[in-house]
Amino acid sequence: MIDRPLRLPNGARLENRIVKSAMSEALADARNDPTEGMLALYKRWGQSGAALLITGNTPVDRNHLEHAANVVLDERSDPEKTRRLAAAAKSGGALALVQIAHSGRQTPEALNDRPLSISDTALELPGYGAPRMASEDELQAIILRFATAARLARTAGFDGVEVHGAHGYLLSSALSPRINTRKDRWGGSLVNRSRLLREVIRAVRAAGGADFVVAAKLNSSDFQKGGFTPEESIETARMLEREGVDFLEISGGTFETPVAYQHKAGKPSTAAREAYFLDYARDIKKALGIPVMVTGGFRSAAVMRQALSEDATDLIGMGRPFILDPAFPRKLLAGDIAAAPAPERDFPPAEALPRGAVLNWFCHQLALQGTEGKAEAGLPITTGHERYLGRIASSTARLLAARAAASC
Ligand SMILES: Cc1cc2nc3c(=O)[nH]c(=O)nc-3n(C[C@H](O)[C@H](O)[C@H](O)COP(=O)(O)O)c2cc1C
């Protein structure tokens, strides 16, 4: 079943069920355009055998980055480099989407100490400034930025975009009653809290056209007291289907509850334990007619087949395996390997490591795939973690220097 094609509502055809989920690359140049290393990596991923590649978090606003080395998609982006990125990703026949995002209150303080957010509720983590509640006009401007990014993605040759409505970034934070304390039409009821995401999707659809793939990534839950719940996720998914979304990717968590990239999800003897959002996705999928993609933990072909045959998902999203072996889908589809690489299973539990160390180790390996053409799987976790922090610190210094030079 993994090799069975799937047609999306907009008419696009995916050759099989394997999708590379979004992974922030940290491979942009000083102008936040793709580097040659990033283009080379997407060319390799383009030959991977996956049916669809989704780029990493691509902010639509330079003042609200996820980190300094993000590729940005706005009017100042280099159209030729964006075109080359789309061409590289599509060079082996896969479809390619840009994941468009606004970081909101999860924008690092070093880049913006007063980021716009849905409210003034601050992130309970060090390194993030006090957010400011966006006005009506500012929200309208943000919606326009998403539409602009969709238009630019289309012009560059991408097949569509995935709107990042998960992991605590602006659109996801708007869904959470814990964060979104607004009293106007953007807060309160779920209809109001989902308005920003829905209006972004509507604007993106209008900008991209009927044949453009418009997907959304949504949390199954924030896994936070007073946050966005599984029941609200199902209701939101229904609303997004009515907005004409072509498929919905299911994930979970925020920066404060980083459950999207678990590495000790229990003994992987059942599909739900390996693919840790599968049970949530099953309930969401039952409520929808559009395809669903589940991302998080999938590694073994047997579990992928089981999830597809039980109709718990239509697409298998994977991230980390693409970092260690950019060619694994072809091998899995051919039956040459029974499972995708999963080095994280041998790592110590997160509590025994510095905060974010496992994710940063993978971020470093991803950057190495771009700059060196290969990962360094034997690198100790804390070394990879520290090298990634160093990479981000120098990208931050470079960006701040460029901003200072531009303002002179
Ligand atoms: C290095 C790295 C960067 C990531 N960046 C993003 C991102 O930019 N956008 C996003 O939606 N998810 C991001 N994720 C989450 C992945 O898309 C995926 O949901 C998660 O890794 C779980 O899937 P996996 O178990 O197959 O790795 C990232 C994960 C990793 C490991």
Side-chain angles (χ1 to χ4, degrees), residues 19-25 54-58 66-67 70 99 101 162 164-167 169 217 249-252 259-263 274-277 293-299 317-323 344 358-367 388:
V19 179
K20 181 200 118 9
S21 65
M23 287 186 294
S24 196
E25 299 92 3
I54 305 176
T55 72
N57 186 323
T58 306
E66 175 218 359
H67 56 66
N70 284 139
Q99 185 185 61
E162 180 184 68
H164 200 346
H167 301 170
Y169 297 102
K217 189 160 182 168
E249 179 183 0
I250 304 303
S251 186
V259 295
Y261 0 75
Q262 300 174 17
H263 68 283
E274 179 172 312
Y276 34 82
F277 298 124
M293 162 174 161
V294 181
T295 304
F298 274 118
R299 298 294 180 266
M318 280 179 276
R320 289 166 287 186
F322 281 89
I323 299 177
E344 68 278 4
V358 172
L359 177 62
N360 288 343
W361 183 88
F362 276 101
C363 291
H364 176 65
Q365 301 292 348
L366 197 169
Y388 183 70

Side-chain angles (χ1 to χ4, degrees), residues 7-77:
R7 201 167 286 284
L8 299 180
N10 79 320
R13 181 182 144 106
L14 274 62
E15 287 307 321
N16 59 61
R17 305 306 177 97
I18 299 182
V19 179
K20 181 200 118 9
S21 65
M23 287 186 294
S24 196
E25 299 92 3
L27 285 169
D29 64 18
R31 295 180 38 83
N32 297 97
D33 288 314
T35 53
E36 291 300 323
M38 179 153 168
L39 298 174
L41 178 55
Y42 271 90
K43 187 148 193 194
R44 257 180 296 142
W45 277 337
Q47 318 292 321
S48 68
L52 173 67
L53 306 181
I54 305 176
T55 72
N57 186 323
T58 306
V60 299
D61 178 352
R62 283 169 198 270
N63 289 323
H64 294 88
L65 305 183
E66 175 218 359
H67 56 66
N70 284 139
V71 167
V72 171
L73 196 51
D74 69 4
E75 300 282 9
R76 280 164 57 197
S77 304

Side-chain angles (χ1 to χ4, degrees), residues 21-187:
S21 65
M23 287 186 294
S24 196
E25 299 92 3
L27 285 169
D29 64 18
R31 295 180 38 83
N32 297 97
D33 288 314
T35 53
E36 291 300 323
M38 179 153 168
L39 298 174
L41 178 55
Y42 271 90
K43 187 148 193 194
R44 257 180 296 142
W45 277 337
Q47 318 292 321
S48 68
L52 173 67
L53 306 181
I54 305 176
T55 72
N57 186 323
T58 306
V60 299
D61 178 352
R62 283 169 198 270
N63 289 323
H64 294 88
L65 305 183
E66 175 218 359
H67 56 66
N70 284 139
V71 167
V72 171
L73 196 51
D74 69 4
E75 300 282 9
R76 280 164 57 197
S77 304
D78 182 326
E80 178 56 16
K81 287 182 181 162
T82 315
R83 187 199 63 72
R84 287 179 63 206
L85 181 63
K90 297 178 68 172
S91 60
L95 301 186
L97 310 183
V98 184
Q99 185 185 61
I100 51 176
H102 184 293
S103 292
R105 68 184 200 141
Q106 293 186 167
T107 305
E109 188 172 23
L111 300 176
N112 184 344
D113 60 4
R114 205 78 173 99
L116 281 184
S117 179
I118 197 67
S119 71
D120 57 6
T121 312
L123 198 67
E124 289 172 11
L125 287 174
Y128 297 90
R132 187 166 68 75
M133 186 189 287
S135 67
E136 172 77 31
D137 285 354
E138 286 166 332
L139 291 176
Q140 294 299 343
I142 289 169
I143 294 167
L144 266 181
R145 284 182 184 279
F146 275 96
T148 300
R151 176 174 54 75
L152 295 170
R154 183 175 182 120
T155 306
F158 281 96
D159 299 286
V161 293
E162 180 184 68
V163 174
H164 200 346
H167 301 170
Y169 297 102
L170 178 68
L171 304 179
S172 160
S173 67
L175 293 169
S176 163
R178 184 173 184 276
I179 305 165
N180 183 347
T181 51
R182 297 178 80 103
K183 305 277 180 272
D184 58 7
R185 68 193 190 101
W186 307 93

